[in-house]
Amino acid sequence: MASVARFRSVVLDCPEPRELARFYAQVAGGTPEEEDPDWVVLQVPGGPRLAFQRAPGLTPPEWPRSDRNAQQFHLDFDAGSTWEEIDAAHEKVLALGARPLDLEDREKKDFQVYADPAGHPFCLCRIEHA
């Protein structure tokens, strides 16, 4: 099937685009490029283009609620194939300003959920490598 359009970016609304772009650059790589104070772009190496758009007064989603102010999307990051690698990534994202949202049920789930500094949910995933 022919596509209608080509995928361009995932855009995250946030109060401080430069700061959130730096956070994700440290998590996933790349160098933020500020087009203007209200719009910063990050090309993740081997991945998507993330853009950060100023949204003063943004109310972050209330994870995992669905009745009001629900999350509209979240980002998943492969953080390793062992829990030791996930634990190391956990410490690094906390040092960058993330906060844990759900670290429960490691035996049942292969992911842990965090909020970035603007409150958007993201996951560090344990991936079984072949």
Side-chain angles (χ1 to χ4, degrees):
M1 177 190 283
S3 65
V4 172
R6 185 173 64 89
F7 175 80
R8 179 176 173 86
S9 357
V10 173
V11 180
L12 286 82
D13 290 346
C14 58
E16 297 296 334
R18 184 181 305 141
E19 290 177 23
L20 197 58
R22 277 191 231 142
F23 171 83
Y24 280 109
Q26 292 177 314
V27 171
T31 302
E33 296 179 18
E34 187 172 328
E35 295 184 7
D36 68 53
D38 295 331
W39 183 264
V40 179
V41 173
L42 174 66
Q43 178 62 55
V44 175
R49 174 181 131 126
L50 298 177
F52 305 89
Q53 174 176 272
R54 185 174 311 279
L58 174 78
T59 301
E62 296 178 44
W63 189 90
R65 293 188 74 130
S66 61
D67 57 341
R68 67 161 205 231
N69 200 28
Q71 70 171 328
Q72 296 177 6
F73 71 93
H74 71 272
L75 302 173
D76 285 347
F77 294 94
D78 294 346
S81 60
T82 67
W83 283 113
E84 291 76 21
E85 291 171 306
I86 302 301
D87 290 342
H90 165 89
E91 293 301 325
K92 289 176 183 175
V93 298
L94 293 182
L96 294 171
R99 65 182 167 81
L101 294 177
D102 183 355
L103 306 179
E104 302 298 319
D105 300 325
R106 284 174 70 137
E107 293 77 36
K108 296 179 184 176
K109 298 187 293 191
D110 283 341
F111 61 91
Q112 295 184 158
V113 185
Y114 301 83
D116 69 23
H120 303 101
F122 72 94
C123 296
L124 294 179
C125 303
R126 186 174 69 90
I127 301 301
E128 297 286 337
H129 296 287

